[in-house]
Amino acid sequence: MQHIFSLILSLLLAYGVAALGSFFTVGAIDVWYATLLKPALSPPNWLFGPVWTILYALMAIAAWRVYQKPANSLSRNALILYGVHLVLNALWSIVFFGFQAPILALSIIIALLVSILVLTILFYRIDKMAGLLFLPYLAWVSFATYLNFSIVFLN
């Protein structure tokens, strides 16, 4: 029962960050974001919600798997970095969409990308499946970094 409770808490934490980001994102999509020049590879707006929903679930499950392992300095540091990464994740949405500041958001998403890369490696060392669960997230945020850079360049 404790395992299920900790999984639910991990999911609630990840989706809480998602909700915070969405609060700043939703209102800007049809108003500000629609006016920006975007690269040719920019996906349709409707795709972002389903992709992020899946990615938040994968990251929550990965963190939960690491949490289930015996505590040691590696797992504690990985979970601390996971928390920092969640702050960066939310901060990017707030800055990009809420403050409408793509240049500042670019620096945040680069830091986020680095944190995801390090987390993927750390999680893999602790629990191979947890590391593998982070790979789609790493790929998507790499793509999102390209989109953010392109928006800065084009606008």
Side-chain angles (χ1 to χ4, degrees):
M1 191 62 152
Q2 183 180 2
H3 294 302
I4 293 171
F5 182 70
S6 60
L7 175 59
I8 291 169
L9 282 178
S10 185
L11 288 163
L12 286 173
L13 177 62
Y15 284 115
V17 169
L20 178 61
S22 292
F23 177 79
F24 289 92
T25 302
V26 171
I29 293 289
D30 292 331
V31 181
W32 173 73
Y33 186 71
T35 67
L36 297 175
L37 296 175
K38 296 173 207 63
L41 295 177
S42 187
N45 290 343
W46 63 263
L47 184 62
F48 288 96
V51 168
W52 277 110
T53 300
I54 293 166
L55 293 176
Y56 280 112
L58 293 176
M59 75 172 80
I61 293 167
W64 172 75
R65 290 182 63 92
V66 168
Y67 177 77
Q68 295 304 307
K69 297 294 180 183
N72 58 41
S73 61
L74 182 62
S75 63
R76 277 190 295 276
N77 289 339
L79 291 172
I80 290 167
L81 180 58
Y82 178 74
V84 170
H85 128 276
L86 287 175
V87 171
L88 289 170
N89 182 300
L91 189 59
W92 182 85
S93 296
I94 294 166
V95 170
F96 188 89
F97 289 104
F99 296 161
Q100 300 176 1
I103 294 173
L104 180 56
L106 182 60
S107 65
I108 294 166
I109 202 169
I110 290 169
L112 176 61
L113 182 60
V114 170
S115 72
I116 294 168
L117 176 60
V118 172
L119 278 169
T120 303
I121 294 165
L122 290 175
F123 278 13
Y124 188 83
R125 287 181 182 166
I126 297 164
D127 179 89
K128 287 183 178 25
M129 182 56 71
L132 294 174
L133 288 170
F134 250 62
L135 288 175
Y137 183 37
L138 178 63
W140 183 258
V141 174
S142 297
F143 180 64
T145 303
Y146 152 76
L147 292 174
N148 193 152
F149 175 80
S150 298
I151 286 169
V152 168
F153 181 77
L154 293 170
N155 295 276

